[in-house]
Amino acid sequence: MPTPVIMDVDTGIDDALALLFAVAHPEIDVLGVTCVAGNAGLEQVVDNTLRILDLAGAADVPVAAGAARPLIAPARSASHVHGADGLGGVALPATTRQASSESAVALMRRLIMQHPTRVTLVALAPQTNLALLLRTHPEVAERIERIVFMGGSASVGNATAVAEFNVWHDPEAAAIVSDAGVPTTMYGLDVFNVVAVPFDRAASLATGSHRVGRVVGELLSHRVALSEDESLQYTGFIGDAGAVCAIVAPHLVRFESLPVRVELAGFSRGQTIVDRRPYAGEDKLHGLSDEWSRSEVALGIDADAVAELFLETVLQLPRD
Ligand code: RIB
Ligand code: CA
């Protein structure tokens, strides 16, 4: 049976790749997509999401707009990574449909409560919508199978030296979700940063005859303007799409069940502190807080196999 999922996105280049993969893969049933500000402003995220779902032939999947900014912090931008339009300037036909009149929270609640089995939430963005859902309708928690989120890191950050963008963008939301008692899988930068498509493969797709393949190739070929050094600008990361790949191919990922907490204060605000000590509990001996939640943390991945799974799956979408 396909896994019923609701995807929460800030489309963005890699959210777009994740949406294409999720729609294409037979073991994923996309019930709906909710949008939040992150890589781009909310309105742009909604428009990008609708266009990508149109491209994937999934214009029947409902899309709802959610939070336009984090719970506490100001909205940030990621245009240096995803371009001003959030999709690296990749041209897509304008959409002919509107987003749902429901809010993201209302759509998530309705889809979760009406589905006959538990639903998996795939959070690929700042977790503001999920936090608002869990605070407004706590009854949904027992109807959620798992929250699989792209976010955090057990090692280095990207937005800051120690914080990953999605968690850093709304740390309070991530802390609320982490403490909600729902099983979570953390697909963080430890694996996010190693799953990539080689430049020549992306370039070949971008100029190929496959309609979806061309868009995928162009998205992957977008250069990140974080360095003057051209050799550092190409990444080819499938990014968020890897978190969805991990749902259908968990054997390609090494997970550990570890205590995790989100730092809310100080220079390390937004860091996911992952306790990898061989023992736990010394914190208590020092009179420190022991408010940790456990998560299945992805620490290793067969990067080449996941990249191949991603490509072979999205190329199953219609060629013309
Ligand atoms: O840190 C990477 C994450 O931030 C990805 O989800 C990317 O799309 C951005 O949202
Ligand atoms: Ca994202």
Side-chain angles (χ1 to χ4, degrees):
M1 281 293 281
T3 300
V5 306
I6 297 170
M7 298 178 72
D8 192 71
V9 297
D10 58 340
T11 313
I13 287 174
D14 57 332
D15 305 73
L17 299 175
L19 288 165
L20 292 172
F21 179 86
V23 169
H25 201 283
E27 291 306 310
I28 298 282
D29 177 12
V30 183
L31 304 178
V33 181
T34 50
C35 299
V36 65
N39 288 324
L42 180 61
E43 197 175 321
Q44 183 74 65
V45 167
V46 171
D47 185 53
N48 290 346
T49 301
L50 290 168
R51 291 176 188 235
I52 288 291
L53 290 174
D54 290 349
L55 172 72
D60 57 329
V61 173
V63 174
R69 57 157 292 178
L71 297 178
I72 305 288
R76 315 279 186 171
S77 162
S79 57
H80 52 289
V81 175
H82 296 264
D85 67 353
L87 288 179
V90 174
L92 290 171
T95 186
T96 56
R97 68 172 174 134
Q98 300 290 316
S100 164
S101 57
E102 289 176 294
S103 69
V105 167
L107 179 63
M108 283 195 277
R109 178 177 184 266
R110 177 171 63 82
L111 292 175
I112 290 168
M113 297 309 283
Q114 75 184 18
H115 200 271
T117 62
R118 288 184 173 169
V119 173
T120 294
L121 298 189
V122 180
L124 305 176
Q127 297 176 25
T128 318
N129 289 341
L130 275 73
L132 292 169
L133 169 72
L134 290 163
R135 281 285 195 263
T136 311
H137 304 290
E139 72 277 10
V140 304
E142 63 179 15
R143 299 293 302 154
I144 300 171
E145 176 68 21
R146 176 168 289 273
I147 294 171
V148 177
F149 72 95
M150 192 281 126
S153 171
S155 52
V156 294
N158 53 11
T160 76
V162 293
E164 177 279 326
F165 178 83
N166 286 336
V167 175
W168 172 78
H169 198 273
D170 197 340
E172 284 74 20
I176 288 169
V177 173
S178 172
D179 295 344
V182 175
T184 60
T185 296
M186 177 175 136
Y187 185 92
L189 294 180
D190 312 277
V191 289
F192 176 101
N193 282 342
V194 296
V195 186
V197 172
F199 175 73
D200 54 354
R201 189 85 183 272
S204 165
L205 281 172
T207 55
S209 61
H210 195 296
R211 179 174 61 99
V212 173
R214 277 199 304 276
V215 172
V216 168
E218 287 179 70
L219 289 170
L220 287 168
S221 301
H222 176 67
R223 291 179 177 275
V224 175
L226 277 170
S227 161
E228 297 299 319
D229 179 344
E230 281 223 349
S231 69
L232 296 177
Q233 288 180 0
Y234 176 79
T235 67
F237 289 156
I238 70 168
D240 288 332
V244 192
C245 292
I247 295 173
V248 299
H251 61 286
L252 297 179
V253 187
R254 179 171 64 82
F255 294 101
E256 280 188 40
S257 175
L258 293 169
V260 180
R261 65 179 295 160
V262 178
E263 183 55 78
L264 299 178
F267 190 72
S268 56
R269 174 173 162 83
Q271 180 181 16
T272 48
I273 304 171
V274 180
D275 190 347
R276 297 180 66 182
R277 289 174 292 181
Y279 52 86
E282 191 171 340
D283 313 65
K284 280 187 194 169
L285 299 180
H286 302 308
L288 299 174
S289 156
D290 61 351
E291 291 159 21
W292 297 76
S293 308
R294 293 193 85 86
S295 186
E296 293 301 311
V297 180
L299 293 175
I301 194 165
D302 183 338
D304 292 344
V306 171
E308 200 51 47
L309 168 65
F310 166 74
L311 287 176
E312 69 189 22
T313 301
V314 295
L315 292 176
Q316 297 305 313
L317 288 168
R319 293 182 61 84
D320 305 312

